[in-house]
Amino acid sequence: MKPFKIILLLLNLGCVFTACAQMSGLPDARFNLLLKAPINTWDEAIPLGNGLMGGLLWGENNTIRLSLDRGDLWDERTTGEKEWWKKYTYQKGAEMIAQKKFSTVNEWWDGPYNGVSPTKLPAGRIEIKLPVGQIAKNFELKLATAEGMAYFKSGAVLKALYSASEPVALLSVKGAIPDAIDLLSTSDVYRKNVDEKGGPSSGGSVSKLGYLDAVKGKKGNAQWYIQEAAEGLKYCVYIEKKVINKETLLAVTITSTTDAADFLSLAEKRCTLALAKGYEATLKPHKQWWSSFWQKSSVSVPDTAVQKQYNLVQYFYGAASRLNAPPMPLQGVWTADNGSLPPWKGDYHNDLNTQMTYMAYQESGRFDEGASYLNFLWDRRDSFRAFAKDFYGTKGLACPGVMSYSGQPLGGWGQYSMSPSMSAWSAHLFYLHWAYTADDKFLKEKAYPWSSEVGECMLGLLKKDANGILKLPLSSSPEMFDNSPKAWLEPNSNYDLMSLKMLFLSLKEMAEACGMSSDIKKWEEAAVALGDFHTKDDGTLLLDANNELKSSHRHLSNIIGLYPFNLITTENGEKATQVIDASLKSWDKLGTSQWCGYSFSWMSCMKARVGDAEGAVKDLDIFVKAFVLRNGFHVNGDQTKSGYSDFTYRPFTLEGNFLASQAVHEMLLQSWSSTPGKINTGVIRIFPATPEKWANASFTNLRAEGGFKVSAVRKNSLTVGFSIIASKAGKVRIKDNFDGRKPKWSIKNVNKTEDVYEVNLAKGQKISASF
């Protein structure tokens, strides 16, 4: 090649990736969350948090509220018999169901969930009252710095941050001096605002907990309350004020008996230190943390509503899920502040919610935030081993389908809350974390050990039938037929079958990566012995061997093998394509009348995974338009009442948000293997399902399986350039979906086999291409 052509090529590549680099970093201020006052309800508030603590900023006229939460505040009291799962075991349940004594099993397994506790606890609120003439005009969430703002018509400003480096929140009020600062306990909130119906929450009144009133105290510019909860738990909500040069500073923290014996002194110390530093000094390391967070990756799509929602949901990871903090349950660190307990106890639901909440961090490279949940599961493995032994009668470990912060089973609809397959789905998160990080230390020390113990539990339950097929004693498909007798499907349901097959195939792959040859064979044989998926003659996936889904439903459980498990792909041949087409056509025909918000964002992911770009963006658009409140919170029902769903209620849960964020990833970048269970077979697919209206899009440093960082630019519906950086030495495989155009590579020795480009990269090496 002539010298001037080489220079031109390099310049072209430089232009392409300068464009990528420019969009990497802090989110543009035009995508900040800006809400007009008043905000009259907690679930439309500005969400703030630092993983351990969370806050909701809202209010009207001259009153600003900060709702308070801490991730590990739980009432762990069992409803009914303690450790009831030891008495009412899985085997006994199977025997009762065989005798058609369904009501007995419901009483055993669903009954415990119907009590008030265990439950996540809210932590009260702060009310700041400015002079009567001060009228709130707007509220804002500054994404780049994770600050909440309240602007007043007079020019006064209140700003708030939950420090990224210290367990404290700091508020600053300038332009007006507060008339009063009131600290309200959860009981105060209940008495002040809510009757026994509990507003939009389905959790019931906090008064049902039976706690004594909080003990309140004051000293100088500080005030606090200490709440005695249950089983020895006490917590303190503490606030201290300081006025400097017409600026009113407020420091807030929540401490408990899990922190120190003298948790009141600890709270005082934290707030005093924060006030001594001041807002700007506290803001500096906070901004540095968030700057690092945002620079991990970014995407740019030409749809303001989707872009805004995407940025906000990525923010949720940083605000509500930190490496050394409790992971997000149903509502994260934003528990209901209306005098009620949170919907569905604010628990950890492992029949979709937690798995999907932690489904979007891998591709965005927010691994510390995602590791919060994996560490939570890892740290409770002794409890999960005991549960496997006591309830299932097996070796290994199992996490309950519905559980508290301590990991104890809460019960609920027994078909799902006590299903062993939920543990297989949770194990999938360990597998994905390894797949995207390519961290062999994590693989050997956590991913394979935890997941293989789940595998041992499953093998202990599975028994061969007359045809040599491994079957569970009981089977279901979340959340089909609710908790009626019909919900007990013929083993194995497609959901159970897919969950177990994915588990065993991922264990085979991980065992191969660990060099454990004997385990490879064991897991491969188990995957094969599960048999084939259940389909109609036309390929439509059934619920089980005999039952077809015949009406609209919110949970896509019977087609989970398409996404996220990737067991049936468009590259698996004609039969697989027939199964995909027939199954999605069947779901489309049944309609969306019984869908929740997460159904739309999940289906968006699924359609993107199978290459249906227009279907994917349609479902994503519906989610963003109809199933989120004005602050971006997913609330399950159709808020527009436009007929997208018959559900129009508004209980707030997070998983739909994260699925929507992942849907964006799926449209921009995919890296799955068409042969699950076989190591090093992933293929990077750049802009694999990007809709027509996203003709111009780009992303920087999204992650692909194998530990690769990928950046790419799309203009006028064509890929104009991309780069890939290897986190470890190995082969990168890139799908040729470039519309017949040949890439101009930045390095030599790129080979092509059929429709896949291949090249070996050293650790840290980068390959770029332009067109």
Side-chain angles (χ1 to χ4, degrees):
M1 183 179 291
K2 294 182 180 180
F4 77 90
K5 289 189 175 181
I6 295 175
I7 293 170
L8 183 60
L9 171 59
L10 293 174
L11 286 173
N12 287 339
L13 289 173
C15 290
V16 167
F17 293 105
T18 297
C20 262
Q22 286 174 346
M23 69 162 208
S24 181
L26 301 181
D28 194 301
R30 62 196 174 99
F31 298 118
N32 285 349
L33 182 62
L34 186 63
L35 305 177
K36 289 184 178 180
I39 302 177
N40 294 316
T41 177
W42 66 275
D43 57 3
E44 292 186 6
I46 298 292
L48 302 166
N50 60 10
L52 177 64
M53 299 192 305
L56 294 165
L57 187 66
W58 54 295
E60 70 287 321
N61 296 324
N62 64 325
T63 299
I64 302 299
R65 302 180 183 90
L66 184 68
S67 304
L68 304 173
D69 194 10
R70 175 168 156 152
D72 57 357
L73 294 184
W74 269 79
D75 186 326
E76 293 275 0
R77 289 176 295 176
T78 305
T79 296
E81 296 183 56
K82 285 192 174 182
E83 298 186 327
W84 50 268
W85 55 91
K86 293 183 179 181
K87 181 177 180 181
Y88 303 119
T89 64
Y90 187 74
Q91 182 59 42
K92 288 182 180 178
E95 291 169 0
M96 290 293 101
I97 289 165
Q99 299 171 38
K100 300 190 182 304
K101 296 181 179 179
F102 304 111
S103 60
T104 298
V105 178
N106 276 351
E107 183 180 342
W108 288 354
W109 294 348
D110 189 25
Y113 196 80
N114 295 327
V116 178
S117 61
T119 183
K120 177 75 181 67
L121 299 173
R125 79 163 74 132
I126 296 165
E127 292 193 349
I128 303 169
K129 294 185 179 178
L130 299 180
V132 174
Q134 296 290 340
I135 305 297
K137 180 176 63 174
N138 294 310
F139 290 84
E140 183 179 18
L141 171 62
K142 292 186 173 181
L143 289 172
T145 59
E147 292 177 276
M149 314 293 289
Y151 303 102
F152 294 81
K153 292 181 179 180
S154 67
V157 177
L158 180 149
K159 51 187 178 181
L161 65 84
Y162 273 67
S163 171
S165 56
E166 302 293 338
V168 66
L170 207 58
L171 292 82
S172 165
V173 184
K174 287 185 177 180
I177 299 174
D179 283 345
I181 300 168
D182 298 325
L183 177 60
L184 280 65
S185 71
T186 51
S187 296
D188 294 332
V189 174
Y190 165 68
R191 284 191 287 262
K192 184 175 181 179
N193 294 301
V194 182
D195 62 17
E196 287 289 339
K197 292 181 180 179
S201 172
S202 61
S205 165
V206 295
S207 65
K208 294 181 180 179
L209 292 168
Y211 296 165
L212 297 173
D213 277 354
V215 176
K216 299 184 177 181
K218 287 187 177 181
K219 184 176 73 172
N221 288 323
Q223 57 179 305
W224 64 85
Y225 78 78
I226 295 175
Q227 178 68 63
E228 183 173 358
E231 298 182 331
L233 174 66
K234 295 181 181 180
Y235 62 91
C236 172
V237 179
Y238 192 100
I239 179 172
E240 187 174 356
K241 179 180 74 171
K242 185 177 182 179
V243 179
I244 308 173
N245 298 327
K246 297 183 180 181
E247 176 187 21
T248 302
L249 285 177
L250 301 173
V252 185
T253 194
I254 305 172
T255 58
S256 78
T257 45
T258 62
D259 297 321
D262 190 355
F263 53 92
L264 174 58
S265 294
L266 177 62
E268 180 182 8
K269 180 180 178 181
R270 287 178 178 175
C271 288
T272 300
L273 287 173
L275 291 176
K277 285 184 179 179
Y279 192 92
E280 292 303 319
T282 302
L283 179 63
K284 186 175 180 180
H286 174 81
K287 287 174 66 175
Q288 290 173 345
W289 189 94
W290 278 97
S291 177
S292 176
F293 173 87
W294 287 117
Q295 289 175 23
K296 289 175 183 175
S297 67
S298 59
V299 309
S300 177
V301 297
D303 185 315
T304 300
V306 170
Q307 183 73 59
K308 188 174 181 179
Q309 182 71 13
Y310 176 86
N311 290 353
L312 181 64
V313 175
Q314 292 300 307
Y315 163 84
F316 288 167
Y317 273 130
S321 189
R322 297 285 177 87
L323 186 61
N324 296 310
M328 292 177 283
L330 291 176
Q331 290 88 30
V333 288
W334 301 302
T335 302
D337 178 27
N338 57 358
S340 295
L341 297 171
W344 300 290
K345 303 177 184 290
D347 60 29
Y348 293 94
H349 254 63
N350 294 319
D351 75 338
L352 176 148
N353 306 80
T354 50
Q355 291 94 336
M356 293 308 199
T357 293
Y358 284 96
M359 197 66 198
Y361 81 82
Q362 298 94 344
E363 201 156 339
S364 63
R366 310 204 191 281
F367 297 120
D368 283 352
E369 290 71 33
S372 172
Y373 187 57
L374 301 181
N375 289 342
F376 171 83
L377 293 174
W378 176 259
D379 291 342
R380 283 151 183 75
R381 60 194 184 283
D382 285 343
S383 297
F384 297 157
R385 286 168 183 149
F387 180 61
K389 178 182 177 183
D390 295 336
F391 183 69
Y392 294 118
T394 67
K395 297 178 182 179
L397 65 79
C399 59
V402 180
M403 64 187 184
S404 69
Y405 179 69
S406 71
Q408 73 159 306
L410 299 189
W413 293 348
Q415 298 90 339
Y416 327 115
S417 69
M418 309 307 285
S419 165
S421 300
M422 307 307 167
S423 300
W425 195 354
S426 292
H428 190 239
L429 292 176
F430 280 91
Y431 167 74
L432 288 178
H433 190 90
W434 166 65
Y436 278 90
T437 61
D439 184 343
D440 290 334
K441 186 174 185 287
F442 173 80
L443 167 67
K444 294 172 182 177
E445 293 183 357
K446 288 188 176 179
Y448 187 71
W450 200 92
S451 302
S452 63
E453 287 201 59
V454 173
E456 293 297 340
C457 177
M458 302 303 109
L459 289 178
L461 289 174
L462 290 162
K463 306 297 179 187
K464 288 187 176 181
D465 66 6
N467 297 315
I469 302 297
L470 288 175
K471 298 286 183 67
L472 290 168
L474 297 171
S475 198
S476 63
S477 188
E479 296 166 357
M480 304 296 178
F481 307 117
D482 299 338
N483 65 337
S484 70
K486 287 177 62 178
W488 296 108
L489 300 175
E490 180 179 333
N492 293 320
S493 68
N494 263 335
Y495 166 78
D496 284 334
L497 176 55
M498 291 167 177
S499 298
L500 294 172
K501 193 175 282 283
M502 186 67 240
L503 171 68
F504 293 143
L505 288 173
S506 64
L507 283 169
K508 172 182 176 286
E509 185 176 341
M510 289 190 285
E512 184 178 350
C514 290
M516 306 177 73
S517 56
S518 60
D519 284 8
I520 296 172
K521 183 179 180 182
K522 175 175 68 175
W523 301 126
E524 183 174 33
E525 289 177 348
V528 172
L530 288 167
D532 294 331
F533 306 127
H534 309 299
T535 63
K536 291 172 61 176
D537 291 341
D538 67 357
T540 303
L541 287 163
L542 301 169
L543 296 176
D544 61 14
N546 301 311
N547 292 287
E548 181 180 358
L549 181 63
K550 294 184 178 180
S551 60
S552 178
H553 199 276
R554 61 190 173 274
H555 200 301
L556 283 60
S557 54
N558 74 311
I559 53 174
I560 196 172
L562 278 63
Y563 185 87
F565 292 158
N566 213 59
L567 294 167
I568 307 169
T569 78
T570 54
E571 296 179 7
N572 289 151
E574 186 178 338
K575 182 179 179 181
T577 300
Q578 182 183 2
V579 169
I580 292 168
D581 292 345
S583 299
L584 293 181
K585 182 179 179 181
S586 174
W587 270 81
D588 286 342
K589 185 178 179 181
L590 294 173
T592 65
S593 65
Q594 297 302 299
W595 285 22
C596 291
Y598 69 71
S599 312
F600 287 90
S601 48
W602 186 358
M603 185 60 83
S604 180
C605 290
M606 190 171 294
K607 287 184 175 178
R609 181 60 64 93
V610 302
D612 181 3
E614 302 309 320
V617 79
K618 176 183 176 183
D619 287 330
L620 179 61
D621 286 345
I622 291 172
F623 173 84
V624 172
K625 174 185 176 182
F627 291 89
V628 296
L629 298 178
R630 60 178 179 146
N631 67 343
F633 280 171
H634 161 239
V635 284
N636 285 269
D638 176 5
Q639 301 306 294
T640 66
K641 297 180 174 58
S642 300
Y644 295 120
S645 171
D646 289 348
F647 293 113
T648 57
Y649 62 166
R650 57 183 284 167
F652 155 49
T653 58
L654 281 167
E655 73 293 318
N657 290 119
F658 292 104
L659 279 167
S661 181
Q662 180 59 16
V664 174
H665 292 154
E666 292 289 340
M667 290 185 231
L668 299 178
L669 178 69
Q670 297 176 18
S671 57
W672 43 271
S673 168
S674 58
T675 53
K678 189 173 181 181
I679 196 168
N680 297 328
T681 56
V683 176
I684 293 175
R685 300 161 178 84
I686 296 168
F687 299 119
T690 310
E692 271 188 46
K693 68 176 184 175
W694 291 8
N696 299 308
S698 57
F699 58 87
T700 300
N701 288 339
L702 289 185
R703 277 22 175 222
E705 291 187 22
F708 298 104
K709 289 183 180 180
V710 186
S711 302
V713 177
R714 174 181 173 88
K715 292 183 178 180
N716 298 321
S717 299
L718 294 173
T719 301
V720 297
F722 62 88
S723 70
I724 300 172
I725 303 172
S727 67
K728 59 186 294 188
K731 181 181 291 185
V732 61
R733 308 175 74 231
I734 306 160
K735 182 83 168 182
D736 181 5
N737 62 338
F738 305 127
D739 304 290
R741 298 169 304 136
K742 188 176 181 180
K744 301 179 182 70
W745 301 103
S746 62
I747 63 175
K748 297 179 180 180
N749 301 319
V750 179
N751 300 310
K752 187 175 183 183
T753 303
E754 296 181 348
D755 61 350
V756 175
Y757 291 101
E758 297 181 341
V759 64
N760 289 310
L761 297 180
K763 180 178 179 180
Q765 187 176 6
K766 176 178 178 179
I767 182 173
S768 301
S770 66
F771 297 87

